Every structure is written in structure tokens, then in C-alpha cells.
Amino acid sequence: MCGIVGYIGENQAVPVLLNGLSKLEYRGYDSAGISVYHDGIHTIKVKGKLAGLREKVEKDDKKSSHIGIGHTRWATHGVPNEINSHPHNSQNGKISVVHNGIIENYLELKNMLIEKGYTFKSETDTEVVAQLFEDLYDGDMVSTTRKLLEKIRGAYALGIMCTDHPDTLVAVRKDCPLLIGLGKGENYIASDIPALLEYTRDYYLLETNEIAVLKNDGVKLYGIDGKEIKKEVYHVTWDIAAAEKGGYDYFMMKEIMEQPEALKKTIQPRVTESGIHLEDVSLTEEEIKNCGRIHIVACGSAMHAGVVGRYVIEETCRIPVEVDIASEFRYRNPILAKNDLCIIISQSGETADTLAALREAKKQGVKVLAIVNVVGSSIARESDDVIYTWAGPEIAVATTKGYTTQVSVLYLIALYFARVRGTMTEEAYTAAVKELHDLPEKTAEVLKVDARMAEIAKKYAKCENAFIIGRGLDYAVAMESSLKLKEISYIHSEAYAAGELKHGTISLIEDGTLVVAIATQESLLEKTVSNVKEVKARGAKVLAIATEDCTAIEDVADEVVYLPQVNHLFTASYDVLPMQLFAYYIAVERGCDVDKPRNLAKSVTVE
């Protein structure tokens, strides 16, 4: 989950490394470091955020170099401190390594190296890679890297420097993202595109255990067998401004406000006067008609999007849908039938547990349809079909536009399948398609509740416990809303199906407890109102999110935020918007770092 950047070229390496790391801090920010070649490998590391590393580098008189690697860390092995920070160097000082991922057999390798006389300074698995590379080193970087890959198990993206080859930078990956940026007289490695945008828009995507050898004048790629290979060059089309704050205090607020445009890019090219068109999906009408069950598999917010998808697909298509947390799906020996479909959802397309679940589905012979944002990502490449969300870069750790665009793709799939299966009337289908087409514009209208949510947030910023309740689709939104609140404000928040509260959890409601009731499903409104009365009778303060036709809740709630009346299938896309703003403003009121919540990282590339 850490961020890696590397540079080799005619210019000074340090400014490129520090600038690249600043664009990758969302991947980890408990420590940072760089290694450069200056009459040998010179390494500078600090505990804490990148600002501390900048200060330390400024005072360093050995920072001049034309080659270097950098790292911003999300700790797995060993506490966040300077010793455990990357880069890690070998015992003789010849080798320096940065690493994203986990080396699963590091203890076995470490004990072997200790028996050979190697000593270790850190608690990390990465130091084992540096020491092992030294032990295997035969004078040739590619040959030694191949030997290394035969020894290590796990997930990794590696950047490697060697004092014997001050004109060479080596990179390799397995199940963790790593890009090779292509410039003129200089080349780069990075964990994500924003780190490269100021310097190049052209890059290679490495496959598992492909080795990249970077020099000033070019890049050569090798397979695990040592033979040189050729690859397609990808080109980034979105503008650098998309990865900048654009005047907002935090990326999260910028990305909340970008949702209308992101949804427009996701939805409108796929909606025409004649209906929904998913041109990149190879599923035949026969396969859709014969689909026995859909398995939606994802993690975190993507899983919550999947819960929305379950309600909508089951209602419109009459196909049974299971939603699985990816880390559970893989290990519960899932029962998958020949005519089932697996829908995999991941913003980055590199989520380790989700990628493992995809491979399990493929192993069992089930077709896989992926919903991802990042073009050419591992999940996109390994799926049978992929629908891109086209959300653009999302830098804040807490997803907003990533989630809402995923939900919109699930709407597209639901309506597309429903028409093929004949489970909606033509009138209902046409009305739903039109409303889906208009969703981006209505989203912009709902976001005008911004100032209201800022005021409400001030009233509840000091609360330490919150419960978010709803029924049906509202419960699906409650799950995502609760996650937003807890991950950026550190308020203990739980989502509950409203009818489940009385089965134990209501014992936690006391005077002043915040309960957010999402009540946009007209058919369930009376029951939700009853649940609100139950918590009010026990002293709760209630904030309600409701559509304009659900005025009955006004009599029992302390505050009501009204949303436009829409087709009940699509309410999830609107309910979540005030809750994103509510979580944001509470986090700001509490003095939290909204974009970089403690202990979290954006792309979870370890299991």
C-alpha cells in the first residue's frame, strides 16, 4: 500500500523524487525516505509525513544525484520509525531497495541469511530483500533479480539500485502496481500516474515478474526467463489539473464536487435514445438470460456499492445476487455454478483481496465482469469484461466519486440485463433510462446542500458515537455513510438495518446519541418512522435524510435534509451526497487530516 517513485536521467533526482512522493502520500504517510547515488548509495529517512523528509534533505550536502528511489510508507512489518522506513540497504551498502507489498516468506529467508552472517537493523520484510539481493548478486542486475524472484513469495513492487551500476535502475512487480514512465533523456518508476504527470504521459504497465531496466537513454523489459520483451506504450489522456486541489482545502471536497462531471462521463456515453449500450461487454443475450446467480465481490466502499447493486439488480432483473467481502469470498470455498456471473469492483483495479477473489472465480470457470477506474490495471486485464467508471484520479483516501460512479455502472448493468431478460415493462425501462441519464444534473442540484450540512456538522462535531439506520436501499447507503464518518472523523459509527436496532443495539442509545435516519423509500417510510420514534424515546438526537414526499419523518426528527423525489431505484446516488458532506465537515471541525486519515491508505495492495 506504500508509494514508490524512482528517477534516472540528466536532471537532479531529488526534486523529482520529493515531488513524486508528494503525489503518492495518499498511499501511506507514516514515514518516508530516499536513496540517491553520490559516491555510493546515500539514504535519507524520517518518521512521519513528507514535510519532515523535505527539511532533512534540504540540510543534506550529499543530495546531488542523477539517480534515486523514494518511498512513502504505510506500515505493515515494524512500527513507523526511521529505522523501519524505506529505502532499505544491504549489509555491504551496495544495494538499496524500496518495496510495496508483503514478502510472505521473509522470516524463513531472514533466518537463512542470519545463519550466513548477515545482521539486520529493522523489523521489516523489505530489508530481507536487500540482504538477499546482496547474497545472490552475481554482477548482473537482471540475472540477480531473476534469482531473487525465485526465492521470494508474496506481493511486491520493487525498485532496486546498486553501486556497481550507477547508471541503472531496476523495477519488478507482482500483484502490486508499478508503472514505468518514459521520458526523453530520463525515465521513471512510480506506483501511480499522478507522480509522473509533470514529466511524462507515456508509460509501460509491467505484468507479473516482468523486469524493467531503466537507463537515461531508454528502458528494456525482460521476462522471468531473461529474454527481452516488447510492450505497448500507454498514454495518459487526463489533464494534470485533475490531480491537483484546484483551490479546495482538501482533495476530498474537490472530488465530492466533481461527482456530477464524473457521473456524466460514466453514464451518458452509454445511454442513447434506444436504451443502455455496453459495447465493451462480451456477454451474449443467451448468457444473460441464463444467468443463474450474480456474485458481487469487493472491499470497503466498493462492497457497499455492490450492496446497492444487489437491491437494484434483484428488483429489476429477478436474478439472485450475493455480495461478498473479497477477503472472505476467497477463503470460504465459494459455490459457483456454470451459469453464474462474478462482478468484481475495485477503484484502483489492484486491490489485493479483490484480485485474489477474481482469480478464484476464474479458476472455477465463472465469467468475470470488472468495474474499475484505472485503465490497464491488474483486475481490468485479468477479467473477461471490464466497464471503466472514467471517474478520473481520486487522491483523497476516503472515496466519494469512486463510489458513486461504481453505483452508476451497477445501474447500467441492471437496466441492460433487465431489458435482455424482459423483466421490466418497456414503459418502466424507458422512464428509468431517462432518469439515469439525468442523474449527473440532479447530483449537482443536491450538492447545493453543502452549506446546510456544514452548519449541521457544527452541532454534532463533538459526538463520539453515531448510528446510521435505514431500510432497503437506504440501509445500503447507511453502510457507506457510516464508513465515511468513521474513517475521516474517527467518530465511532455503526450502520444498522433500522428494523434490527431493537434486537440488541438499541441498548446503546442514550441521551444525546446521534442517530442518522435515511428514509427515502416511500414503501418503507412508516416502518422507518417507527424506528426513529424508538430511538427518540431513549434520548437520541435524530438527523433525517428524506425525499420531499417523505414529510412524515419531520414530526419525529430533530433535523431533516430533503432531497428531490426520484425513482426509488436511484435514491442511493442522492442519499449519500449529504452524508459525504456531513462526514467531511465534521472531520474539519474536529481538526482531522481529511485526505490522509490515520492508519489508512488509498490502494490496499496487501491482503
Side-chain angles (χ1 to χ4, degrees), residues 57-58 102 258 264 327 364 372 381 388 433 474 527 600:
V57 169
E58 284 301 315
I102 289 179
E258 285 176 342
K264 188 179 293 185
S327 57
Q364 294 199 34
V372 300
R381 296 200 304 276
Y388 289 110
V433 169
D474 291 339
K527 295 186 182 299
L600 298 180

PDB file of all heavy atoms in Angstrom, residues 57-58 102 258 264 327 364 372 381 388 433 474 527 600:
ATOM      1  N   VAL A  57      16.313  16.673   3.858  1.00  0.00           N
ATOM      2  CA  VAL A  57      17.027  16.661   2.573  1.00  0.00           C
ATOM      3  C   VAL A  57      17.652  18.028   2.295  1.00  0.00           C
ATOM      4  O   VAL A  57      18.784  18.120   1.789  1.00  0.00           O
ATOM      5  CB  VAL A  57      16.079  16.238   1.436  1.00  0.00           C
ATOM      6  CG1 VAL A  57      16.728  16.492   0.076  1.00  0.00           C
ATOM      7  CG2 VAL A  57      15.710  14.770   1.562  1.00  0.00           C
ATOM      8  N   GLU A  58      16.935  19.090   2.622  1.00  0.00           N
ATOM      9  CA  GLU A  58      17.450  20.437   2.362  1.00  0.00           C
ATOM     10  C   GLU A  58      18.783  20.685   3.066  1.00  0.00           C
ATOM     11  O   GLU A  58      19.640  21.408   2.575  1.00  0.00           O
ATOM     12  CB  GLU A  58      16.426  21.483   2.818  1.00  0.00           C
ATOM     13  CG  GLU A  58      15.241  21.645   1.872  1.00  0.00           C
ATOM     14  CD  GLU A  58      15.660  22.049   0.479  1.00  0.00           C
ATOM     15  OE1 GLU A  58      16.507  22.960   0.345  1.00  0.00           O
ATOM     16  OE2 GLU A  58      15.168  21.436  -0.493  1.00  0.00           O
ATOM     17  N   ILE A 102       3.999  -7.283   0.571  1.00  0.00           N
ATOM     18  CA  ILE A 102       4.414  -8.115   1.707  1.00  0.00           C
ATOM     19  C   ILE A 102       5.161  -9.335   1.178  1.00  0.00           C
ATOM     20  O   ILE A 102       4.668 -10.044   0.289  1.00  0.00           O
ATOM     21  CB  ILE A 102       3.208  -8.573   2.546  1.00  0.00           C
ATOM     22  CG1 ILE A 102       2.617  -7.381   3.328  1.00  0.00           C
ATOM     23  CG2 ILE A 102       3.599  -9.672   3.518  1.00  0.00           C
ATOM     24  CD1 ILE A 102       1.405  -7.715   4.158  1.00  0.00           C
ATOM     25  N   GLU A 258     -16.754  17.140  -7.827  1.00  0.00           N
ATOM     26  CA  GLU A 258     -16.520  16.641  -9.191  1.00  0.00           C
ATOM     27  C   GLU A 258     -17.509  15.548  -9.583  1.00  0.00           C
ATOM     28  O   GLU A 258     -17.516  15.098 -10.741  1.00  0.00           O
ATOM     29  CB  GLU A 258     -15.101  16.082  -9.308  1.00  0.00           C
ATOM     30  CG  GLU A 258     -14.019  17.131  -9.379  1.00  0.00           C
ATOM     31  CD  GLU A 258     -12.617  16.540  -9.387  1.00  0.00           C
ATOM     32  OE1 GLU A 258     -12.451  15.356  -8.993  1.00  0.00           O
ATOM     33  OE2 GLU A 258     -11.682  17.255  -9.777  1.00  0.00           O
ATOM     34  N   LYS A 264     -21.374  12.067 -15.346  1.00  0.00           N
ATOM     35  CA  LYS A 264     -21.693  12.329 -16.757  1.00  0.00           C
ATOM     36  C   LYS A 264     -20.792  11.479 -17.658  1.00  0.00           C
ATOM     37  O   LYS A 264     -21.250  10.874 -18.635  1.00  0.00           O
ATOM     38  CB  LYS A 264     -21.505  13.814 -17.063  1.00  0.00           C
ATOM     39  CG  LYS A 264     -21.989  14.239 -18.441  1.00  0.00           C
ATOM     40  CD  LYS A 264     -21.794  15.740 -18.665  1.00  0.00           C
ATOM     41  CE  LYS A 264     -22.701  16.534 -17.750  1.00  0.00           C
ATOM     42  NZ  LYS A 264     -22.601  17.995 -18.037  1.00  0.00           N
ATOM     43  N   SER A 327     -12.117 -10.511   0.919  1.00  0.00           N
ATOM     44  CA  SER A 327     -11.214 -11.289   1.769  1.00  0.00           C
ATOM     45  C   SER A 327     -11.893 -12.525   2.337  1.00  0.00           C
ATOM     46  O   SER A 327     -11.212 -13.484   2.734  1.00  0.00           O
ATOM     47  CB  SER A 327     -10.687 -10.412   2.911  1.00  0.00           C
ATOM     48  OG  SER A 327     -11.752  -9.871   3.660  1.00  0.00           O
ATOM     49  N   GLN A 364     -12.668 -21.343 -11.104  1.00  0.00           N
ATOM     50  CA  GLN A 364     -13.865 -22.184 -11.108  1.00  0.00           C
ATOM     51  C   GLN A 364     -14.660 -22.078 -12.408  1.00  0.00           C
ATOM     52  O   GLN A 364     -15.750 -22.635 -12.524  1.00  0.00           O
ATOM     53  CB  GLN A 364     -14.745 -21.839  -9.917  1.00  0.00           C
ATOM     54  CG  GLN A 364     -14.117 -22.183  -8.569  1.00  0.00           C
ATOM     55  CD  GLN A 364     -15.139 -22.261  -7.453  1.00  0.00           C
ATOM     56  OE1 GLN A 364     -16.273 -22.668  -7.665  1.00  0.00           O
ATOM     57  NE2 GLN A 364     -14.727 -21.893  -6.251  1.00  0.00           N
ATOM     58  N   VAL A 372     -13.941  -1.002 -12.747  1.00  0.00           N
ATOM     59  CA  VAL A 372     -12.726  -0.375 -12.220  1.00  0.00           C
ATOM     60  C   VAL A 372     -12.582   1.028 -12.813  1.00  0.00           C
ATOM     61  O   VAL A 372     -13.237   1.382 -13.792  1.00  0.00           O
ATOM     62  CB  VAL A 372     -11.448  -1.204 -12.520  1.00  0.00           C
ATOM     63  CG1 VAL A 372     -11.536  -2.583 -11.910  1.00  0.00           C
ATOM     64  CG2 VAL A 372     -11.204  -1.305 -14.008  1.00  0.00           C
ATOM     65  N   ARG A 381      -7.210  -6.179 -16.611  1.00  0.00           N
ATOM     66  CA  ARG A 381      -6.560  -7.050 -17.588  1.00  0.00           C
ATOM     67  C   ARG A 381      -6.960  -8.513 -17.419  1.00  0.00           C
ATOM     68  O   ARG A 381      -7.031  -9.252 -18.400  1.00  0.00           O
ATOM     69  CB  ARG A 381      -5.040  -6.920 -17.489  1.00  0.00           C
ATOM     70  CG  ARG A 381      -4.517  -5.529 -17.834  1.00  0.00           C
ATOM     71  CD  ARG A 381      -3.037  -5.531 -18.194  1.00  0.00           C
ATOM     72  NE  ARG A 381      -2.182  -6.084 -17.178  1.00  0.00           N
ATOM     73  CZ  ARG A 381      -1.705  -5.421 -16.123  1.00  0.00           C
ATOM     74  NH1 ARG A 381      -2.044  -4.159 -15.943  1.00  0.00           N
ATOM     75  NH2 ARG A 381      -0.892  -5.992 -15.271  1.00  0.00           N
ATOM     76  N   TYR A 388     -15.219   0.570 -17.404  1.00  0.00           N
ATOM     77  CA  TYR A 388     -14.478   1.612 -16.697  1.00  0.00           C
ATOM     78  C   TYR A 388     -15.438   2.690 -16.203  1.00  0.00           C
ATOM     79  O   TYR A 388     -16.383   3.069 -16.905  1.00  0.00           O
ATOM     80  CB  TYR A 388     -13.427   2.235 -17.607  1.00  0.00           C
ATOM     81  CG  TYR A 388     -12.262   1.317 -17.905  1.00  0.00           C
ATOM     82  CD1 TYR A 388     -12.080   0.767 -19.174  1.00  0.00           C
ATOM     83  CD2 TYR A 388     -11.354   0.993 -16.905  1.00  0.00           C
ATOM     84  CE1 TYR A 388     -11.008  -0.084 -19.442  1.00  0.00           C
ATOM     85  CE2 TYR A 388     -10.277   0.151 -17.164  1.00  0.00           C
ATOM     86  CZ  TYR A 388     -10.112  -0.383 -18.434  1.00  0.00           C
ATOM     87  OH  TYR A 388      -9.056  -1.224 -18.679  1.00  0.00           O
ATOM     88  N   VAL A 433     -34.302   4.725 -17.771  1.00  0.00           N
ATOM     89  CA  VAL A 433     -33.155   5.144 -18.582  1.00  0.00           C
ATOM     90  C   VAL A 433     -33.073   6.664 -18.639  1.00  0.00           C
ATOM     91  O   VAL A 433     -31.987   7.248 -18.502  1.00  0.00           O
ATOM     92  CB  VAL A 433     -33.228   4.543 -19.998  1.00  0.00           C
ATOM     93  CG1 VAL A 433     -32.194   5.185 -20.907  1.00  0.00           C
ATOM     94  CG2 VAL A 433     -33.027   3.027 -19.948  1.00  0.00           C
ATOM     95  N   ASP A 474     -31.871   2.250   1.492  1.00  0.00           N
ATOM     96  CA  ASP A 474     -31.376   3.207   2.479  1.00  0.00           C
ATOM     97  C   ASP A 474     -30.371   2.562   3.425  1.00  0.00           C
ATOM     98  O   ASP A 474     -29.446   3.219   3.908  1.00  0.00           O
ATOM     99  CB  ASP A 474     -32.536   3.796   3.281  1.00  0.00           C
ATOM    100  CG  ASP A 474     -33.427   4.705   2.440  1.00  0.00           C
ATOM    101  OD1 ASP A 474     -32.948   5.196   1.401  1.00  0.00           O
ATOM    102  OD2 ASP A 474     -34.586   4.916   2.826  1.00  0.00           O
ATOM    103  N   LYS A 527     -42.448   2.317   8.577  1.00  0.00           N
ATOM    104  CA  LYS A 527     -41.656   1.466   9.475  1.00  0.00           C
ATOM    105  C   LYS A 527     -40.395   2.197   9.949  1.00  0.00           C
ATOM    106  O   LYS A 527     -39.990   2.075  11.112  1.00  0.00           O
ATOM    107  CB  LYS A 527     -41.294   0.163   8.772  1.00  0.00           C
ATOM    108  CG  LYS A 527     -42.502  -0.705   8.451  1.00  0.00           C
ATOM    109  CD  LYS A 527     -42.090  -2.044   7.884  1.00  0.00           C
ATOM    110  CE  LYS A 527     -43.326  -2.871   7.519  1.00  0.00           C
ATOM    111  NZ  LYS A 527     -44.182  -3.152   8.695  1.00  0.00           N
ATOM    112  N   LEU A 600      -4.739   4.616   7.506  1.00  0.00           N
ATOM    113  CA  LEU A 600      -5.348   4.184   6.250  1.00  0.00           C
ATOM    114  C   LEU A 600      -4.449   4.514   5.065  1.00  0.00           C
ATOM    115  O   LEU A 600      -3.586   5.374   5.135  1.00  0.00           O
ATOM    116  CB  LEU A 600      -6.703   4.863   6.049  1.00  0.00           C
ATOM    117  CG  LEU A 600      -7.779   4.567   7.090  1.00  0.00           C
ATOM    118  CD1 LEU A 600      -9.055   5.315   6.747  1.00  0.00           C
ATOM    119  CD2 LEU A 600      -8.049   3.079   7.186  1.00  0.00           C
TER     120      LEU A 600
END
